[in-house]
Amino acid sequence: MQKKPICLIAARGGSKGVPGKNIRKLGNKPLIAHTIKSAIDSGLFSNVIVTTEDKKIAKIAKRYGADVPFMRPKKLASDKIDYEKVITHAITNLKSLGYDFDILVNRDCTVPFIKNSDVKKSIKLLRKE
């Protein structure tokens, strides 16, 4: 049986351009809640994981159904950090915690309205290739 992918949403608290953007209200919910809900509702993922260094973001993410199994170190939460290091940190921690997956889908918190049909097609294409 094929493993379900994991969805990773990276949301740091230290945005300089729009302070607190990941938890600012969009409609009646914080921005991150829309991305979490979309990922959960898609049924594509075994887990929806949020990686953050910010306790407030972690609390909101959990309230909307995401897992926050570890906190990201502050050194990986600056606007100058190579995003590959954030992903590698997440994969390493998830594997050490026993998460079993072969595909990790990165969902950008600030782009919550991506069509799940497009995500599904990209996973299918990845598996095919």
Side-chain angles (χ1 to χ4, degrees):
M1 181 175 201
Q2 240 174 17
K3 298 174 189 175
K4 276 189 159 185
I6 281 184
C7 177
L8 182 71
I9 302 168
R12 66 185 185 90
S15 174
K16 292 178 183 169
V18 181
K21 71 180 173 198
N22 293 320
I23 56 174
R24 281 201 177 186
K25 294 278 182 161
L26 179 63
N28 62 347
K29 293 186 274 202
L31 178 61
I32 193 170
H34 293 278
T35 305
I36 292 167
K37 181 175 177 0
S38 173
I40 290 170
D41 289 351
S42 75
L44 296 170
F45 306 107
S46 62
N47 301 87
V48 176
I49 306 290
V50 170
T51 175
T52 186
E53 86 297 354
D54 187 281
K55 289 178 183 175
K56 192 170 185 179
I57 291 173
K59 184 177 178 181
I60 290 169
K62 289 176 187 175
R63 183 177 345 134
Y64 284 94
D67 297 330
V68 186
F70 54 85
M71 294 297 286
R72 188 176 351 153
K74 292 210 184 291
K75 69 181 182 180
L76 294 179
S78 78
D79 58 350
K80 305 250 188 277
I81 194 69
D82 181 355
Y83 198 66
E84 182 181 330
K85 291 180 181 178
V86 174
I87 299 289
T88 301
H89 175 265
I91 290 170
T92 301
N93 277 278
L94 291 170
K95 292 285 187 180
S96 73
L97 292 169
Y99 286 81
D100 188 24
F101 60 98
D102 55 0
I103 295 175
L104 183 130
V105 174
N106 178 49
R107 287 286 309 263
D108 190 328
C109 180
T110 61
V111 188
F113 302 116
I114 292 173
K115 292 180 182 176
N116 283 322
S117 60
D118 290 338
V119 175
K120 185 176 184 176
K121 287 176 192 171
S122 68
I123 293 167
K124 186 175 182 180
L125 181 62
L126 179 63
R127 285 198 167 120
K128 182 179 176 184
E129 297 297 321

